[in-house]
Amino acid sequence: MNRFALYWILSTLILFTGCNISPWNNPYPDSQSKDNIYYDSFEERPKHLDPVSSYSGNEYVFLGQIYEPVLQYHFLKRPYELIPLTATAVPQAEYYDNAGNMLDADTPPESVHRVVYRITIKSGILYQPHPAFARDKRGKYRYHHLSKDDLEKIHALSDFSETGTRELTAEDYVYQIKRLAHPGVHSPIAGLMSKYIHGLQELSEELTNKHKNEIDKNNFIDLRNHHLSGVRILDRYTFEITLKEKYPQFRYWLSMPFFAPMPWEADFFYSQPGMEEKNITLNWYPVGTGPYMLTENNPNRRMVLKRNPNFRGELYPDKGGPEDEVNGLLQDAGQTMPFIDTAIFSLERESIPAWNKFLQGYYDTSGIVSDSFDQAVTFNTKGELELTEQMRNKGIKLTTAVMSSTFYMGFNMRDEVVGGDSERARLLRRAISIVVDYEEYISIFTNGRGVPAQGPIPPGIFGYSEGSDGINPYVYTWRKGRAERRNIREAQELMIAAGYPDGREVQSGQSLILYLDTPATGPDAKAIFDWFRKQFSKLGITLVIRATDYNRFQEKMLKGTEQIFMWGWNADYPDPENFLFLLYGPNAKVGLNGENAANYENEEFDYLFNQMKSMSNGPERQAIVDRMIDIARRDAPWLWGFHPVAFTLHHRWFKNAKPALMLNNTLKYIRIDPETRNKLRTQWNQPVFWPIILLLLILLISIIPAYISYKRREQSSAL
Amino acid sequence: MINYILRRIAYALPILIGINIITFVLFFVVNTPDDMARMQLGQKRVTQEAIDKWKRERGYDMPVLWNSQAKGMKKITDSIFFQNSIKLFVFDFGQSDNGRDISNDISQRMWPSLAITVPALILGLIAYITFALTLAFFRASYIDVWGVVICVIMMSISGMFYIIGGQFIIGKLFNLVPISGYDSGVNAIKFVTLPVIVGLIGGIGSSTRWYRTIFLEEMGKDFVRTARAKGLSEKVVLYRHVLRNGLIPILTGVVVVLPMLFIGSLVTESFFAVPGLGSYTIDAINSQDFAIVRSMVYLGSVLYIIGLILTDISYTIADPRIRLE
């Protein structure tokens, strides 16, 4: 038997006997099939990977695993709790008066002259291997004086053959805080932090004035030589930060990448001439001490994180909530993390291919987009959400969590019709708040993935109240153990009291026309707008949609020419201040470019806000938050909208799935069972060959009549 | 011919300047430098100071087209348009608004685009010519009628349908190729197979009909009648005479798109997650990155003009009667 015949028989046997062969549709090399790799996707390419300028969730997915700020959130405990990451302990604020006397923690903010946070970091923490640290035999930096010739063969960071490391020191944290003031890197929190950190504003001005040329050319500015009065290195592992005023939320900022350490060597290395032309910059190649390092940075295709060989190891938490024990989230307690060797994130711009690849087992986890919602989740006879049979058969698990976000519809408080502090406008806003049925909105447009909001603070954040105490009494009543929206009649009565019976102005008799400004367009948005029109029409109000592009919409918001708008906010940290500041007067969008998009202003609210923001969590703070929420509910500058619920699916080989929306560094907790994954992937993705054979047969069959026809023509005689 | 080419290049210059101005005006009508800054700096906690600083660093703080405050030539040169456009003419694309080197990005991203467009073009040509010749051969028979009907149906279906359908049937139902993604080198084959097949099927309807018309036109000409009168078989007439002469308009049509192969396909690359220049352009439009948009529009225009010049040259090669003067 010749070799060809043997191959033919073998391949035919494989094709028709149903032997398990390696999947053809596997987007990854076969050699990876049994490796301890985590596979995920990303939709949008990161813009910045420099921790001082990054401020986006899709960038924190990578940065959170690489950079280590001094603090982090506990993986299992809820409400969220700050714990040390590289610090030896969570720093406690020390308050001082004008004379330098130490004050009690409950001292009123106006008596505090400065606040000091003293932070000691653990010793022995090493940076990932990186060419910026590589030294030659004489101890000089190997790649700190690169010439044009040296850079000729360099196209990516991996082209540098030598790497080195060094220990993390307090100076690296101080260096990064100084970078907040660097005019060339555009830190989004530079303005905010300049209000609090002593001397940051002055440093920014000094750098701008003295180093204009360096900034223009992206040259290195040695920040070690610049003094920042608000930070001080006490010893190799200890530094302190001095704030101008009481700001308890500062500790939360210390858990964000803005306050991650930055070695000056890295800054110098990337600032060398010629590096930027090759896209080798700090913005694209992070240098950290975290459990992972970015080994492949191709935001157009994939990002690869590999275990940092210099990582010290960290223990999986041994304490959590009671449900964590039941859900098996404490099985890895005390084990050394990270568990995964490599994480591969592939770019998927479209949701349909990403979803299908998740179902094929090529992604370990997935969200649920509207298109695939019915395929993934269904409502059972009791009206509860559960996975569909297809998902259950695949062993897929669902986790849900209310996000620390809020989506609302706002009234421009500077608008003559819907805004202002008059009783007329207040009643009008409250009437609209009743008729816009967000329960229905959530059910129709988010597939039930949302919780109607009773105020600005979402569940899980201090200040949020459960049950009958927590409802918005202007919109809901408490009946049979649940919040029930007030009926339309009550809203109509409010309209009469406001001077708009049946939606008409009493004096002119004209129908009330309101305008919703929005950047949304397209068929999905049209359905939402039709629904909103219907809600407003319950009161006889004509709602006109003024759809515009996003830039013009932003412009309207900045100028305050909008009337009604839709907006949202995603928490930076789990504190009521981060939501209530959205209604704080001096934070108005118009004129001040703040985040108070409704331009709401209430003297008492603002006064209470200033009190509340610098208080520690406790009954007293809760009482102030409750009062503030009462004021806001009464004035109704927002239709409170809803808090979205995140649905995440995980395959059965994915372990330690805990919704942790406030955490950036969750990768180290994840464990994967590659053997089960490989077995199931092979089983689910067997190539189906019969369609190819069928297609060939159809082609063959269709050729026959054509051939007959051809022959007939050839043999026919001319007329 | 050299004179002709030089003249065409000279004509191209005002065209390129015009395209640049139109791109520039259209972009800045929709996006102000403040909008661009906000998009790059993020949506949260962005101060006007940060926006002004961002604009200053990138030269977006100057007047858009005309600097009335400046004197002399600076009225023109101290404007965003001049500062951003002049370097394009020497193909210095500079940096994108988020700080990446555009030339470097283009040099990396043109290969994935070519990996799809080149095989799609070659295989497509073979398939479409074969189908068109078959229909022409069986003209006025039921094979021709049904072939044309199928072509019209295929033309009427949206390209998006072929993409989603192809991903579902070939990638998900039959598990024959990855649904999306890309890899370099030989590994790219399994990723480009599906987009190439989808592209090929998507183009069958229109291309086959067009080529069939060309062949039918050739078949009605005197030289074909003469060939038949000589007693040549239909097969010989078709392949030796009709095909050879029909290829002239087909090839010239192909030459014009050759340079554009670099640019890739916007929709295909997006759906198949191919990191080519098509998705690069889409990303830039979405993120209001003017530096990339103007570079890609300029590059596209230059390549299109090159394509037109190559088409003219290819006429002289395909048809010796034509002279470029």
Side-chain angles (χ1 to χ4, degrees), chain A residues 26 47 276 279 300 348-349 357 551-552 554 558 570 572 595 688 710 713, chain B residues 30-31 35 38-39 43-45 57 95 101 109 137 171 174 180 190 283:
Chain A
N26 187 354
K47 279 184 199 156
E276 199 168 27
N279 288 332
N300 311 316
E348 290 286 357
R349 284 171 210 287
K357 278 161 91 173
N551 293 333
R552 297 294 74 75
Q554 286 272 15
L558 286 168
N570 192 22
D572 293 310
E595 301 295 344
V688 182
Y710 164 70
R713 275 193 183 200
Chain B
V30 181
N31 312 292
D35 299 330
R38 243 178 247 116
M39 188 59 91
Q43 302 298 322
K44 285 168 92 176
R45 301 182 190 274
E57 274 179 18
Q95 284 188 334
D101 188 80
R109 296 185 72 147
F137 181 78
F174 301 148
S180 64
K190 70 174 173 181
D283 281 351

mmCIF file of all heavy atoms in Angstrom, chain A residues 26 47 276 279 300 348-349 357 551-552 554 558 570 572 595 688 710 713, chain B residues 30-31 35 38-39 43-45 57 95 101 109 137 171 174 180 190 283:
data_model
loop_
_atom_site.group_PDB
_atom_site.id
_atom_site.type_symbol
_atom_site.label_atom_id
_atom_site.label_comp_id
_atom_site.label_asym_id
_atom_site.label_seq_id
_atom_site.Cartn_x
_atom_site.Cartn_y
_atom_site.Cartn_z
ATOM 1 N N ASN A 26 -9.831 26.477 16.920
ATOM 2 C CA ASN A 26 -9.132 26.992 18.099
ATOM 3 C C ASN A 26 -8.295 28.216 17.707
ATOM 4 O O ASN A 26 -7.385 28.118 16.892
ATOM 5 C CB ASN A 26 -8.226 25.894 18.657
ATOM 6 C CG ASN A 26 -7.603 26.289 19.977
ATOM 7 O OD1 ASN A 26 -7.759 27.423 20.421
ATOM 8 N ND2 ASN A 26 -6.907 25.359 20.598
ATOM 9 N N LYS A 47 -6.009 53.486 25.987
ATOM 10 C CA LYS A 47 -5.378 54.707 25.470
ATOM 11 C C LYS A 47 -4.096 55.006 26.225
ATOM 12 O O LYS A 47 -3.136 55.498 25.661
ATOM 13 C CB LYS A 47 -6.341 55.886 25.651
ATOM 14 C CG LYS A 47 -7.393 55.998 24.599
ATOM 15 C CD LYS A 47 -8.213 57.266 24.857
ATOM 16 C CE LYS A 47 -9.529 57.202 24.134
ATOM 17 N NZ LYS A 47 -10.532 58.048 24.739
ATOM 18 N N GLU A 276 10.277 57.209 21.524
ATOM 19 C CA GLU A 276 8.888 57.552 21.249
ATOM 20 C C GLU A 276 8.501 57.200 19.808
ATOM 21 O O GLU A 276 7.387 56.733 19.560
ATOM 22 C CB GLU A 276 8.673 59.039 21.501
ATOM 23 C CG GLU A 276 7.213 59.362 21.683
ATOM 24 C CD GLU A 276 7.011 60.765 22.207
ATOM 25 O OE1 GLU A 276 7.881 61.619 21.961
ATOM 26 O OE2 GLU A 276 5.986 61.004 22.846
ATOM 27 N N ASN A 279 7.315 53.882 19.529
ATOM 28 C CA ASN A 279 6.209 53.614 20.456
ATOM 29 C C ASN A 279 6.650 52.864 21.703
ATOM 30 O O ASN A 279 5.879 52.109 22.295
ATOM 31 C CB ASN A 279 5.070 52.855 19.753
ATOM 32 C CG ASN A 279 4.325 53.738 18.786
ATOM 33 O OD1 ASN A 279 4.257 54.938 18.971
ATOM 34 N ND2 ASN A 279 3.788 53.147 17.730
ATOM 35 N N ASN A 300 -3.867 46.303 19.313
ATOM 36 C CA ASN A 300 -4.669 46.074 18.111
ATOM 37 C C ASN A 300 -5.030 44.603 17.966
ATOM 38 O O ASN A 300 -5.824 44.237 17.120
ATOM 39 C CB ASN A 300 -3.889 46.494 16.866
ATOM 40 C CG ASN A 300 -3.310 47.858 17.050
ATOM 41 O OD1 ASN A 300 -3.979 48.736 17.542
ATOM 42 N ND2 ASN A 300 -2.038 48.028 16.696
ATOM 43 N N GLU A 348 -11.661 41.993 20.737
ATOM 44 C CA GLU A 348 -12.922 41.618 20.074
ATOM 45 C C GLU A 348 -13.762 42.881 19.993
ATOM 46 O O GLU A 348 -14.308 43.331 20.992
ATOM 47 C CB GLU A 348 -13.679 40.551 20.888
ATOM 48 C CG GLU A 348 -13.053 39.192 20.914
ATOM 49 C CD GLU A 348 -13.189 38.413 19.633
ATOM 50 O OE1 GLU A 348 -13.838 38.913 18.696
ATOM 51 O OE2 GLU A 348 -12.622 37.308 19.571
ATOM 52 N N ARG A 349 -13.853 43.443 18.807
ATOM 53 C CA ARG A 349 -14.615 44.687 18.690
ATOM 54 C C ARG A 349 -16.111 44.432 18.702
ATOM 55 O O ARG A 349 -16.876 45.264 19.135
ATOM 56 C CB ARG A 349 -14.280 45.355 17.355
ATOM 57 C CG ARG A 349 -12.971 46.027 17.365
ATOM 58 C CD ARG A 349 -12.612 46.468 15.970
ATOM 59 N NE ARG A 349 -11.180 46.460 15.848
ATOM 60 C CZ ARG A 349 -10.399 47.343 16.412
ATOM 61 N NH1 ARG A 349 -10.934 48.307 17.119
ATOM 62 N NH2 ARG A 349 -9.099 47.269 16.286
ATOM 63 N N LYS A 357 -17.356 32.771 20.826
ATOM 64 C CA LYS A 357 -16.087 32.168 21.261
ATOM 65 C C LYS A 357 -16.144 31.788 22.740
ATOM 66 O O LYS A 357 -15.520 30.820 23.163
ATOM 67 C CB LYS A 357 -14.918 33.129 20.977
ATOM 68 C CG LYS A 357 -14.481 33.024 19.508
ATOM 69 C CD LYS A 357 -13.702 34.214 19.076
ATOM 70 C CE LYS A 357 -12.232 34.075 19.257
ATOM 71 N NZ LYS A 357 -11.501 35.222 18.654
ATOM 72 N N ASN A 551 -20.325 65.537 20.794
ATOM 73 C CA ASN A 551 -19.591 66.774 21.069
ATOM 74 C C ASN A 551 -20.520 67.956 21.311
ATOM 75 O O ASN A 551 -20.301 68.758 22.214
ATOM 76 C CB ASN A 551 -18.663 67.106 19.900
ATOM 77 C CG ASN A 551 -17.566 66.085 19.776
ATOM 78 O OD1 ASN A 551 -17.187 65.468 20.753
ATOM 79 N ND2 ASN A 551 -17.060 65.886 18.572
ATOM 80 N N ARG A 552 -21.570 68.017 20.495
ATOM 81 C CA ARG A 552 -22.506 69.133 20.677
ATOM 82 C C ARG A 552 -23.269 68.968 21.990
ATOM 83 O O ARG A 552 -23.593 69.935 22.660
ATOM 84 C CB ARG A 552 -23.495 69.205 19.507
ATOM 85 C CG ARG A 552 -22.902 69.485 18.143
ATOM 86 C CD ARG A 552 -22.285 70.852 17.993
ATOM 87 N NE ARG A 552 -21.000 71.018 18.678
ATOM 88 C CZ ARG A 552 -19.840 70.512 18.252
ATOM 89 N NH1 ARG A 552 -19.781 69.789 17.164
ATOM 90 N NH2 ARG A 552 -18.720 70.695 18.945
ATOM 91 N N GLN A 554 -22.090 67.604 24.695
ATOM 92 C CA GLN A 554 -21.155 68.040 25.753
ATOM 93 C C GLN A 554 -21.159 69.574 25.842
ATOM 94 O O GLN A 554 -21.136 70.142 26.924
ATOM 95 C CB GLN A 554 -19.735 67.567 25.423
ATOM 96 C CG GLN A 554 -19.522 66.089 25.623
ATOM 97 C CD GLN A 554 -19.103 65.782 27.044
ATOM 98 O OE1 GLN A 554 -19.230 66.600 27.933
ATOM 99 N NE2 GLN A 554 -18.589 64.576 27.269
ATOM 100 N N LEU A 558 -22.064 71.926 28.975
ATOM 101 C CA LEU A 558 -21.111 72.881 29.542
ATOM 102 C C LEU A 558 -21.701 74.297 29.581
ATOM 103 O O LEU A 558 -21.425 75.063 30.491
ATOM 104 C CB LEU A 558 -19.804 72.881 28.733
ATOM 105 C CG LEU A 558 -18.912 71.657 28.936
ATOM 106 C CD1 LEU A 558 -17.818 71.612 27.891
ATOM 107 C CD2 LEU A 558 -18.285 71.671 30.327
ATOM 108 N N ASN A 570 -19.972 56.384 37.555
ATOM 109 C CA ASN A 570 -19.390 55.134 38.040
ATOM 110 C C ASN A 570 -18.436 55.495 39.175
ATOM 111 O O ASN A 570 -17.563 56.335 38.999
ATOM 112 C CB ASN A 570 -18.631 54.483 36.872
ATOM 113 C CG ASN A 570 -18.255 53.069 37.179
ATOM 114 O OD1 ASN A 570 -18.873 52.432 38.036
ATOM 115 N ND2 ASN A 570 -17.233 52.576 36.514
ATOM 116 N N ASP A 572 -15.645 56.095 41.902
ATOM 117 C CA ASP A 572 -14.194 55.966 42.009
ATOM 118 C C ASP A 572 -13.852 55.136 43.243
ATOM 119 O O ASP A 572 -12.891 54.391 43.254
ATOM 120 C CB ASP A 572 -13.540 57.338 42.177
ATOM 121 C CG ASP A 572 -13.691 58.197 40.940
ATOM 122 O OD1 ASP A 572 -13.375 57.702 39.860
ATOM 123 O OD2 ASP A 572 -14.127 59.355 41.062
ATOM 124 N N GLU A 595 -18.755 67.999 38.074
ATOM 125 C CA GLU A 595 -19.529 66.792 37.744
ATOM 126 C C GLU A 595 -21.000 66.907 38.143
ATOM 127 O O GLU A 595 -21.733 65.939 38.010
ATOM 128 C CB GLU A 595 -18.896 65.579 38.435
ATOM 129 C CG GLU A 595 -17.445 65.306 38.054
ATOM 130 C CD GLU A 595 -17.265 64.933 36.589
ATOM 131 O OE1 GLU A 595 -18.265 64.592 35.933
ATOM 132 O OE2 GLU A 595 -16.121 64.987 36.107
ATOM 133 N N VAL A 688 -16.990 19.690 11.781
ATOM 134 C CA VAL A 688 -18.042 18.969 11.060
ATOM 135 C C VAL A 688 -17.675 18.998 9.583
ATOM 136 O O VAL A 688 -17.636 20.077 8.981
ATOM 137 C CB VAL A 688 -19.416 19.649 11.290
ATOM 138 C CG1 VAL A 688 -20.532 18.898 10.595
ATOM 139 C CG2 VAL A 688 -19.694 19.763 12.783
ATOM 140 N N TYR A 710 -23.027 21.334 -22.684
ATOM 141 C CA TYR A 710 -21.836 21.699 -23.459
ATOM 142 C C TYR A 710 -21.620 20.719 -24.599
ATOM 143 O O TYR A 710 -21.401 21.105 -25.754
ATOM 144 C CB TYR A 710 -20.619 21.730 -22.515
ATOM 145 C CG TYR A 710 -19.284 21.723 -23.216
ATOM 146 C CD1 TYR A 710 -18.847 22.843 -23.938
ATOM 147 C CD2 TYR A 710 -18.456 20.591 -23.176
ATOM 148 C CE1 TYR A 710 -17.619 22.826 -24.564
ATOM 149 C CE2 TYR A 710 -17.226 20.567 -23.800
ATOM 150 C CZ TYR A 710 -16.809 21.692 -24.493
ATOM 151 O OH TYR A 710 -15.588 21.675 -25.126
ATOM 152 N N ARG A 713 -24.113 21.114 -27.365
ATOM 153 C CA ARG A 713 -23.796 22.282 -28.198
ATOM 154 C C ARG A 713 -22.672 21.987 -29.172
ATOM 155 O O ARG A 713 -22.715 22.380 -30.334
ATOM 156 C CB ARG A 713 -23.345 23.448 -27.320
ATOM 157 C CG ARG A 713 -24.497 24.229 -26.787
ATOM 158 C CD ARG A 713 -23.974 25.515 -26.224
ATOM 159 N NE ARG A 713 -25.050 26.265 -25.625
ATOM 160 C CZ ARG A 713 -24.995 27.553 -25.385
ATOM 161 N NH1 ARG A 713 -23.912 28.230 -25.666
ATOM 162 N NH2 ARG A 713 -26.008 28.181 -24.850
ATOM 163 N N VAL B 30 -17.229 69.034 12.846
ATOM 164 C CA VAL B 30 -17.852 68.093 13.783
ATOM 165 C C VAL B 30 -17.153 68.105 15.144
ATOM 166 O O VAL B 30 -17.787 68.016 16.189
ATOM 167 C CB VAL B 30 -17.845 66.661 13.179
ATOM 168 C CG1 VAL B 30 -18.503 65.673 14.112
ATOM 169 C CG2 VAL B 30 -18.547 66.658 11.842
ATOM 170 N N ASN B 31 -15.821 68.180 15.121
ATOM 171 C CA ASN B 31 -15.062 68.095 16.372
ATOM 172 C C ASN B 31 -14.242 69.359 16.592
ATOM 173 O O ASN B 31 -13.394 69.679 15.769
ATOM 174 C CB ASN B 31 -14.071 66.920 16.330
ATOM 175 C CG ASN B 31 -14.718 65.655 15.854
ATOM 176 O OD1 ASN B 31 -15.554 65.098 16.531
ATOM 177 N ND2 ASN B 31 -14.339 65.210 14.668
ATOM 178 N N ASP B 35 -13.241 69.239 22.040
ATOM 179 C CA ASP B 35 -13.850 67.900 22.021
ATOM 180 C C ASP B 35 -12.773 66.833 21.935
ATOM 181 O O ASP B 35 -12.836 65.795 22.603
ATOM 182 C CB ASP B 35 -14.781 67.745 20.808
ATOM 183 C CG ASP B 35 -15.916 68.739 20.819
ATOM 184 O OD1 ASP B 35 -16.329 69.114 21.929
ATOM 185 O OD2 ASP B 35 -16.359 69.141 19.737
ATOM 186 N N ARG B 38 -11.054 66.447 25.230
ATOM 187 C CA ARG B 38 -11.885 65.746 26.213
ATOM 188 C C ARG B 38 -11.904 64.255 25.938
ATOM 189 O O ARG B 38 -11.867 63.430 26.840
ATOM 190 C CB ARG B 38 -13.304 66.310 26.169
ATOM 191 C CG ARG B 38 -13.692 66.949 27.484
ATOM 192 C CD ARG B 38 -15.064 67.538 27.449
ATOM 193 N NE ARG B 38 -14.957 68.972 27.547
ATOM 194 C CZ ARG B 38 -15.322 69.808 26.607
ATOM 195 N NH1 ARG B 38 -15.846 69.374 25.494
ATOM 196 N NH2 ARG B 38 -15.171 71.093 26.766
ATOM 197 N N MET B 39 -11.927 63.911 24.660
ATOM 198 C CA MET B 39 -11.947 62.500 24.286
ATOM 199 C C MET B 39 -10.642 61.810 24.703
ATOM 200 O O MET B 39 -10.643 60.680 25.154
ATOM 201 C CB MET B 39 -12.152 62.400 22.768
ATOM 202 C CG MET B 39 -12.390 61.000 22.256
ATOM 203 S SD MET B 39 -13.827 60.205 22.982
ATOM 204 C CE MET B 39 -15.096 60.648 21.835
ATOM 205 N N GLN B 43 -13.418 61.326 30.421
ATOM 206 C CA GLN B 43 -14.651 62.079 30.676
ATOM 207 C C GLN B 43 -14.763 62.544 32.129
ATOM 208 O O GLN B 43 -15.599 63.364 32.453
ATOM 209 C CB GLN B 43 -15.865 61.216 30.324
ATOM 210 C CG GLN B 43 -15.884 60.743 28.882
ATOM 211 C CD GLN B 43 -15.941 61.881 27.885
ATOM 212 O OE1 GLN B 43 -16.603 62.865 28.115
ATOM 213 N NE2 GLN B 43 -15.225 61.757 26.790
ATOM 214 N N LYS B 44 -13.958 61.990 33.002
ATOM 215 C CA LYS B 44 -14.122 62.300 34.427
ATOM 216 C C LYS B 44 -13.079 63.293 34.911
ATOM 217 O O LYS B 44 -11.900 63.123 34.643
ATOM 218 C CB LYS B 44 -14.012 61.020 35.259
ATOM 219 C CG LYS B 44 -15.247 60.136 35.163
ATOM 220 C CD LYS B 44 -15.007 58.777 35.742
ATOM 221 C CE LYS B 44 -15.383 58.665 37.193
ATOM 222 N NZ LYS B 44 -15.226 57.300 37.714
ATOM 223 N N ARG B 45 -13.528 64.265 35.651
ATOM 224 C CA ARG B 45 -12.665 65.202 36.357
ATOM 225 C C ARG B 45 -11.695 65.955 35.445
ATOM 226 O O ARG B 45 -10.573 66.255 35.840
ATOM 227 C CB ARG B 45 -11.872 64.475 37.453
ATOM 228 C CG ARG B 45 -12.754 63.793 38.495
ATOM 229 C CD ARG B 45 -11.912 63.147 39.560
ATOM 230 N NE ARG B 45 -12.666 62.299 40.440
ATOM 231 C CZ ARG B 45 -13.315 62.704 41.530
ATOM 232 N NH1 ARG B 45 -13.308 63.966 41.845
ATOM 233 N NH2 ARG B 45 -13.985 61.862 42.276
ATOM 234 N N GLU B 57 -0.009 71.794 23.725
ATOM 235 C CA GLU B 57 1.085 70.871 23.400
ATOM 236 C C GLU B 57 1.001 70.334 21.983
ATOM 237 O O GLU B 57 2.008 70.040 21.355
ATOM 238 C CB GLU B 57 1.053 69.689 24.358
ATOM 239 C CG GLU B 57 1.789 69.977 25.629
ATOM 240 C CD GLU B 57 1.720 68.808 26.575
ATOM 241 O OE1 GLU B 57 1.411 67.694 26.130
ATOM 242 O OE2 GLU B 57 1.960 69.031 27.758
ATOM 243 N N GLN B 95 2.741 62.082 15.243
ATOM 244 C CA GLN B 95 2.181 61.254 16.313
ATOM 245 C C GLN B 95 0.671 61.364 16.352
ATOM 246 O O GLN B 95 0.108 62.404 16.036
ATOM 247 C CB GLN B 95 2.723 61.722 17.657
ATOM 248 C CG GLN B 95 4.146 61.276 17.906
ATOM 249 C CD GLN B 95 4.568 61.587 19.311
ATOM 250 O OE1 GLN B 95 4.052 62.497 19.929
ATOM 251 N NE2 GLN B 95 5.513 60.829 19.807
ATOM 252 N N ASP B 101 3.362 56.758 17.398
ATOM 253 C CA ASP B 101 3.925 57.143 16.119
ATOM 254 C C ASP B 101 3.090 56.518 14.997
ATOM 255 O O ASP B 101 2.966 55.288 14.910
ATOM 256 C CB ASP B 101 5.380 56.669 16.044
ATOM 257 C CG ASP B 101 6.061 57.226 14.824
ATOM 258 O OD1 ASP B 101 6.464 58.394 14.872
ATOM 259 O OD2 ASP B 101 6.151 56.498 13.808
ATOM 260 N N ARG B 109 0.460 47.657 10.696
ATOM 261 C CA ARG B 109 -0.923 47.249 10.487
ATOM 262 C C ARG B 109 -1.288 47.010 9.030
ATOM 263 O O ARG B 109 -2.379 46.508 8.744
ATOM 264 C CB ARG B 109 -1.867 48.287 11.104
ATOM 265 C CG ARG B 109 -1.691 48.364 12.600
ATOM 266 C CD ARG B 109 -2.667 49.271 13.249
ATOM 267 N NE ARG B 109 -3.993 48.716 13.267
ATOM 268 C CZ ARG B 109 -4.883 48.915 14.240
ATOM 269 N NH1 ARG B 109 -4.555 49.624 15.276
ATOM 270 N NH2 ARG B 109 -6.080 48.401 14.168
ATOM 271 N N PHE B 137 -20.760 31.334 -21.630
ATOM 272 C CA PHE B 137 -20.734 30.169 -22.522
ATOM 273 C C PHE B 137 -22.145 29.607 -22.718
ATOM 274 O O PHE B 137 -22.532 29.242 -23.814
ATOM 275 C CB PHE B 137 -19.808 29.105 -21.915
ATOM 276 C CG PHE B 137 -19.682 27.870 -22.759
ATOM 277 C CD1 PHE B 137 -18.859 27.882 -23.885
ATOM 278 C CD2 PHE B 137 -20.386 26.718 -22.457
ATOM 279 C CE1 PHE B 137 -18.737 26.747 -24.667
ATOM 280 C CE2 PHE B 137 -20.276 25.590 -23.242
ATOM 281 C CZ PHE B 137 -19.452 25.601 -24.353
ATOM 282 N N GLY B 171 -17.759 29.015 11.341
ATOM 283 C CA GLY B 171 -16.978 29.046 12.586
ATOM 284 C C GLY B 171 -17.660 28.373 13.757
ATOM 285 O O GLY B 171 -17.023 27.670 14.526
ATOM 286 N N PHE B 174 -20.110 24.533 12.163
ATOM 287 C CA PHE B 174 -19.265 23.452 11.643
ATOM 288 C C PHE B 174 -17.877 23.420 12.276
ATOM 289 O O PHE B 174 -17.090 22.503 12.023
ATOM 290 C CB PHE B 174 -19.137 23.568 10.114
ATOM 291 C CG PHE B 174 -20.469 23.501 9.392
ATOM 292 C CD1 PHE B 174 -20.679 24.183 8.214
ATOM 293 C CD2 PHE B 174 -21.507 22.741 9.912
ATOM 294 C CE1 PHE B 174 -21.903 24.124 7.562
ATOM 295 C CE2 PHE B 174 -22.730 22.676 9.270
ATOM 296 C CZ PHE B 174 -22.934 23.378 8.088
ATOM 297 N N SER B 180 -13.032 34.557 14.907
ATOM 298 C CA SER B 180 -12.358 35.843 14.714
ATOM 299 C C SER B 180 -10.962 35.752 15.302
ATOM 300 O O SER B 180 -10.619 34.774 15.963
ATOM 301 C CB SER B 180 -13.141 36.964 15.405
ATOM 302 O OG SER B 180 -13.158 36.747 16.798
ATOM 303 N N LYS B 190 -5.193 30.252 9.213
ATOM 304 C CA LYS B 190 -6.486 29.788 9.728
ATOM 305 C C LYS B 190 -7.406 30.958 10.093
ATOM 306 O O LYS B 190 -8.615 30.810 10.140
ATOM 307 C CB LYS B 190 -6.317 28.826 10.893
ATOM 308 C CG LYS B 190 -5.816 29.395 12.188
ATOM 309 C CD LYS B 190 -5.860 28.285 13.250
ATOM 310 C CE LYS B 190 -5.205 28.747 14.540
ATOM 311 N NZ LYS B 190 -5.213 27.715 15.558
ATOM 312 N N ASP B 283 -11.143 53.051 14.440
ATOM 313 C CA ASP B 283 -10.796 53.427 15.827
ATOM 314 C C ASP B 283 -10.531 54.920 15.929
ATOM 315 O O ASP B 283 -10.950 55.577 16.876
ATOM 316 C CB ASP B 283 -9.526 52.689 16.287
ATOM 317 C CG ASP B 283 -9.823 51.264 16.682
ATOM 318 O OD1 ASP B 283 -11.015 50.933 16.759
ATOM 319 O OD2 ASP B 283 -8.868 50.491 16.899
#
